[in-house]
Amino acid sequence: MHTLRKNRPLRRIVLASAATVSGMVLLLSLKPHTTPAVAGLAASPAPSSSSSPSGTSGTAGGSNGSTGSGGSSGSSGSTTGTRTLTGDSVQTRYGPVQVRVTLTDGKITDVTAVAYPQENPRDQQINAYAVPQLTREALSAQSADIDTVSGATYTSDGYRRSLQSALDSANG
């Protein structure tokens, strides 16, 4: 005898319902995997390796996400010496992005991401390659007119806007 014969539709309905319920229970009991070591890394502060060896240090802080533009104004200041400026903290979909810029004689000599999304392993993976690439772009362009890193659109936009706000505070 076959269990799903057409003359027994009630048995067929019961089996289909039981399979559906079992599948839903298994699906809903699945939890994303995070290791305690990775969770501990996400709670640590963003790495910062920039310091100003000489000159003055200014800070332009804030946390509104609308300051700055994606324009191409560079750092063509007429000031001399070394200055370290911190851009606005730009709120992105995945977290805040903030950049610190070191200017020597009006030229960008160092760019450091002070804050960027690190909440989960995927954010860490994306920003591990995106932040250094954005830093290289900024140093070579000598402005905030940098390309977006593929796969890190929100971080790239926040980086660009924070960099532009730091350069704006240096010029004005």
Side-chain angles (χ1 to χ4, degrees):
M1 290 195 118
H2 192 267
T3 58
L4 298 177
R5 287 188 0 196
K6 293 210 177 204
N7 61 359
R8 303 220 179 191
L10 186 59
R11 180 179 285 173
R12 196 172 175 184
I13 291 171
V14 169
L15 287 173
S17 298
T20 302
V21 169
S22 298
M24 291 300 293
V25 166
L26 289 173
L27 182 66
L28 293 175
S29 67
L30 181 70
K31 293 191 174 39
H33 177 70
T34 56
T35 60
V38 174
L41 289 176
S44 67
S48 175
S49 63
S50 174
S51 63
S52 177
S54 65
T56 60
S57 175
T59 303
S63 60
N64 65 6
S66 63
T67 304
S69 66
S72 62
S73 64
S75 60
S76 59
S78 60
T79 61
T80 58
T82 301
R83 299 186 333 164
T84 302
L85 303 156
T86 304
D88 292 339
S89 178
V90 178
Q91 187 64 37
T92 67
R93 180 176 178 176
Y94 298 104
V97 177
Q98 189 172 27
V99 175
R100 180 178 299 130
V101 182
T102 301
L103 301 171
T104 303
D105 297 329
K107 296 201 180 268
I108 300 174
T109 56
D110 188 32
V111 181
T112 304
V114 178
Y116 52 91
Q118 302 185 76
E119 293 301 314
N120 59 52
R122 182 70 176 141
D123 289 344
Q124 293 170 6
Q125 179 186 16
I126 290 170
N127 291 320
Y129 76 87
V131 171
Q133 190 170 342
L134 290 165
T135 300
R136 283 191 300 273
E137 288 270 338
L139 290 172
S140 66
Q142 289 293 305
S143 71
D145 188 21
I146 56 177
D147 291 334
T148 298
V149 175
S150 178
T153 306
Y154 294 105
T155 300
S156 298
D157 183 49
Y159 192 98
R160 186 180 311 111
R161 289 167 50 191
S162 181
L163 177 59
Q164 184 63 52
S165 72
L167 295 175
D168 288 345
S169 68
N171 291 333

